[in-house]
């Protein structure tokens, strides 16, 4: 009896740096077993050989920043049974979403010698703002272990077990001294989703929120604590505006801080 066909995997890129796709290649020891169970049908980062959909599992990296990309993601969605977005760009618009708070025409004139050649949207937005998404994997870049969990869950026909608690919980689990309490270092860990193992506090730095907002982030309380640490309103505004500035919870927190800040 012939073997059943393997599920077909596709990986697509939009506006992004490719780091989250590279996480799949970084799997190294686990990559061959994964490749043995999936037919890698479309993954330009790994192979120039591609084949058309439909696809059973599609991983999408990057944000939507052009009209062409807004059309392309709809075509990809139509060809995909399960669509998973990977990384801060795909789940929250990425660092390029800083344009959402500024005048993109001014950027275009300042950066490009021929701005008339550049066609772009005024905003950078998450994939889920354009099409239904079955699962969002956070991080900048994503965690290899969480990516393998998502792929394993897909192959096993179950929902991925990816924690949504805060980085603080990871700090406590590994016995890391709290940099905010012990040293007064500003830290976004209380409102940021875990997944990194609290790397930054473990190396005596505050978390800067690269995994984006956790399930129920209390940004009002954290903002109050940042004020206690003597951070000026403008600095508080900027602390929420990094890789996940357009994630709703961080956007609201930055706008609330902006209301008090002297500069736009
Ligand atoms: S160092 Fe940051 S992430 Fe860790 S417990 Fe303190 S506030 Fe939370
Ligand atoms: S501690 Fe924060 S900034 Fe550092 S890797 Fe983890 S989520 Fe990212």
């Amino acid at each position: 009896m012939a073997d059943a066909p393997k599920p077909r995997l596709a990986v697509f890129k939009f506006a992004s740096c490719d780091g989250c796709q590279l996480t799949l290649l970084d799997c190294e020891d686990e990559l061959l077993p994964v490749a043995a169970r999936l037919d890698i049908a479309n993954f330009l980062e790994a192979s120039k050989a591609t084949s058309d959909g439909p696809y059973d599992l599609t991983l999408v990296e990057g944000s939507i920043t052009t009209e062409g990309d807004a059309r392309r993601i709809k075509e990809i969605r139509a060809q995909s049974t399960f669509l998973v977005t990977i990384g801060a760009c795909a789940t929250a618009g990425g660092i390029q979403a800083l344009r959402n708070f500024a005048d993109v025409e001014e950027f275009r004139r300042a950066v490009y010698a021929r701005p008339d050649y550049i066609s772009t949207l005024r905003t950078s937005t998450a994939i889920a703002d354009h099409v239904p998404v079955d699962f969002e994997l956070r991080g900048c870049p994503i965690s290899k272990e969480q990516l393998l969990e998502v792929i394993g869950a897909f192959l096993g026909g179950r929902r991925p077990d990816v924690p949504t608690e805060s980085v603080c919980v990871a700090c406590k689990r590994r016995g890391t001294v709290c940099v905010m309490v012990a040293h007064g270092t500003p830290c976004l860990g209380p409102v940021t989703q875990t997944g990194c193992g609290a790397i930054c506090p473990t190396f005596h730095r505050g978390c800067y929120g690269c995994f984006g907002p956790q399930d129920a982030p209390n940004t009002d309380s954290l903002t109050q604590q940042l004020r206690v640490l003597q951070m000026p309103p403008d600095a508080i505004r900027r602390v929420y505006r990094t890789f996940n500035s357009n994630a709703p919870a961080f956007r609201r927190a930055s706008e609330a801080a902006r209301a008090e800040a002297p500069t736009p």
Side-chain angles (χ1 to χ4, degrees), residues 139-141 167 171 187-189 192-202 205-212 243:
C140 184
V167 175
C171 264
C187 181
L188 280 195
T192 299
Q193 182 165 309
T194 187
C196 64
I199 296 172
C200 299
T202 302
R205 292 186 47 174
C207 168
Y208 49 94
C210 72
F211 270 66
F243 313 96

Side-chain angles (χ1 to χ4, degrees), residues 33-115:
V34 167
R37 296 194 58 191
L38 289 165
D39 171 12
I40 301 177
N42 202 322
F43 186 10
L44 279 174
E45 185 89 15
S47 165
K48 64 182 179 187
T50 61
S51 59
D52 293 338
Y55 309 110
D56 298 294
L57 174 62
T58 298
L59 305 178
V60 177
E61 175 196 87
S63 67
I64 302 298
T65 56
T66 68
E67 286 180 4
D69 281 351
R71 285 192 295 274
R72 187 163 65 98
I73 189 58
K74 289 189 170 63
E75 293 163 10
I76 290 170
R77 174 69 268 190
Q79 295 176 45
S80 306
T81 305
F82 286 97
L83 190 147
V84 175
T85 51
I86 56 171
C89 301
T91 59
I95 202 156
Q96 59 273 30
L98 289 172
R99 71 166 69 182
N100 302 3
F101 306 94
D103 179 359
V104 78
E105 292 305 321
E106 191 183 326
F107 286 174
R108 191 158 65 161
R109 283 194 300 274
V111 171
Y112 297 100
R114 291 296 307 266

Side-chain angles (χ1 to χ4, degrees), residues 84-239:
V84 175
T85 51
I86 56 171
C89 301
T91 59
I95 202 156
Q96 59 273 30
L98 289 172
R99 71 166 69 182
N100 302 3
F101 306 94
D103 179 359
V104 78
E105 292 305 321
E106 191 183 326
F107 286 174
R108 191 158 65 161
R109 283 194 300 274
V111 171
Y112 297 100
R114 291 296 307 266
D116 49 315
Y117 284 3
I118 305 299
S119 171
T120 185
L121 296 172
R122 302 190 71 82
T123 54
S124 170
T125 44
I127 299 297
D129 291 343
H130 299 264
V131 295
V133 167
D134 297 299
F135 194 80
E136 292 185 309
L137 196 54
R138 306 279 188 79
C140 184
I142 54 172
S143 133
K144 165 180 143 177
E145 288 73 22
Q146 290 191 347
L147 178 62
L148 288 169
E149 165 60 18
V150 167
I151 294 172
F154 165 77
L155 290 169
R158 60 176 173 81
R159 186 159 182 82
D161 181 14
V162 172
T164 56
E165 63 211 17
S166 75
V167 175
C168 292
V169 176
C171 264
K172 300 303 165 217
R173 285 213 178 102
R174 64 187 294 173
T176 295
V177 171
C178 176
V179 297
M180 191 142 69
V181 171
H183 308 295
T185 304
C187 181
L188 280 195
V191 296
T192 299
Q193 182 165 309
T194 187
C196 64
I199 296 172
C200 299
T202 302
F203 287 92
H204 317 297
R205 292 186 47 174
C207 168
Y208 49 94
C210 72
F211 270 66
Q214 51 107 211
D215 230 8
N218 188 344
T219 52
D220 289 346
S221 181
L222 179 63
T223 296
Q224 181 53 34
Q225 175 62 16
L226 296 177
R227 287 193 195 110
V228 169
L229 295 177
Q230 311 278 314
M231 274 185 94
D234 202 39
I236 296 175
R237 174 180 66 88
R238 282 200 303 272
V239 96

